[in-house]
């Protein structure tokens, strides 16, 4: 399990609870970590933006139907990985996408894997960059995060409700009202949040 967090809770609850926590990854004995500053919730079968919309089950998304607490890692555009924490009970098909981190540890190691990042704020700002900086790929798909020595979540620093911003998720295209659903959660005024920056509270 994840200390102080129930991953079998609904995606919206887990998404909010993840803000301020530290994501930790061990690569070749080096600890890389960052504070979670931005996430998106995907709430299951009814969510037109979710990979499990309408109950679709494929080889790609099967991990999303596992019980909360497992990792769902997929590849987009044939080149960028995205890291998600599966939430809810088994077969619910919910997950939280980890969108951005504030780098804390192993920054020099991150720079090696993210050579185009000129500033520390750009190392983990966006889901593909986050995965590159932490060396996350499909080999971690299905990992039970509460029992892993490779990647885990620590309590970090709680985020007060006054510092939590909600707004629409990014790049959803033609998903009807789901395109505007306030399911993106981020920390107010954090320079490490990805673009476009949310504007609602």
């Amino acid at each position: 399990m994840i200390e102080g967090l129930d991953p079998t809770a609904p995606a919206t609850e887990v998404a909010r609870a993840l803000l301020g926590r530290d994501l930790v990854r061990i690569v070749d004995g080096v600890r890389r970590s960052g504070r979670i500053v931005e996430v998106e919730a995907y709430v299951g079968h009814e969510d037109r933006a979710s990979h499990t919309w309408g109950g679709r089950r494929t080889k790609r998304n099967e991990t999303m139907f596992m019980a909360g607490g497992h990792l769902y890692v997929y590849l987009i555009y044939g080149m960028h990985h995205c890291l998600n924490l599966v939430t809810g009970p088994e077969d619910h098909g919910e997950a939280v996408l980890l969108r951005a981190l504030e780098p804390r540890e192993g920054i020099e190691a991150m720079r090696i894997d993210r050579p185009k990042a000129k500033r520390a704020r750009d190392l983990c700002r966006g889901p593909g960059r986050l995965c590159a900086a932490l060396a996350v790929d499909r080999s971690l798909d299905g990992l039970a995060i509460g029992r892993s020595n490779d990647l885990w979540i620590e309590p970090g620093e709680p985020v007060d409700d006054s510092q939590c911003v909600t707004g629409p998720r990014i790049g959803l295209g033609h998903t009807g009202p789901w395109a505007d659903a306030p399911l993106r959660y981020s920390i107010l005024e954090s320079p490490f949040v990805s673009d476009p920056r949310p504007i609602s509270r």
Side-chain angles (χ1 to χ4, degrees):
M1 298 300 289
I2 303 170
E3 184 179 346
L5 187 151
D6 178 9
T8 64
T12 51
E13 293 182 20
V14 176
R16 172 63 183 88
L18 283 172
L19 290 182
R21 291 176 175 268
D22 290 333
L23 180 67
V24 181
R25 172 86 163 111
I26 303 296
V27 184
D28 297 329
V30 176
R31 179 178 165 114
R32 306 184 189 188
S33 73
R35 188 184 191 214
I36 299 172
V37 298
E38 181 187 6
V39 297
E40 289 180 347
Y42 290 83
V43 299
H45 302 182
E46 73 273 21
D47 184 349
R48 290 179 63 91
S50 173
H51 288 179
T52 59
W53 174 55
R56 292 175 296 182
R57 296 184 82 137
T58 66
K59 183 177 180 180
R60 181 197 193 203
N61 76 2
E62 186 63 31
T63 306
M64 272 191 79
F65 290 96
M66 300 177 77
H70 291 83
L71 298 181
Y72 172 45
V73 183
Y74 62 88
L75 191 66
I76 57 171
Y77 309 128
M79 58 190 301
H80 300 301
H81 289 92
C82 291
L83 174 63
N84 301 259
L85 178 64
V86 177
T87 65
E90 187 175 359
D91 291 327
H92 274 226
E94 300 181 24
V96 175
L97 171 67
L98 303 183
R99 283 203 58 92
L101 304 177
E102 175 183 345
R104 290 277 177 93
E105 300 170 287
I107 291 177
E108 291 309 311
M110 292 182 188
R111 289 186 186 279
I112 293 172
D113 287 333
R114 289 273 299 117
K116 293 183 179 180
K118 303 303 182 184
R119 303 171 296 180
R121 65 173 293 201
D122 293 325
L123 285 170
C124 306
R125 195 162 61 103
R129 294 172 175 178
L130 183 159
C131 285
L134 269 62
V136 169
D137 58 24
R138 287 276 297 161
S139 67
L140 297 179
D141 185 54
L143 183 77
I145 195 170
R147 298 193 296 272
S148 170
N149 293 320
D150 297 315
L151 189 150
W152 65 88
I153 294 172
E154 296 181 348
E157 302 171 11
V159 176
D160 189 81
D161 286 343
S162 65
Q163 298 300 305
C164 177
V165 181
T166 59
R169 295 169 293 184
I170 296 174
L172 298 187
H174 304 291
T175 57
W178 289 99
D180 297 320
L183 295 174
R184 179 186 180 198
Y185 300 75
S186 62
I187 297 178
L188 180 68
E189 297 182 355
S190 169
F192 300 93
V193 171
S194 60
D195 294 325
R197 298 185 61 79
I199 58 175
S200 61
R201 291 292 299 274

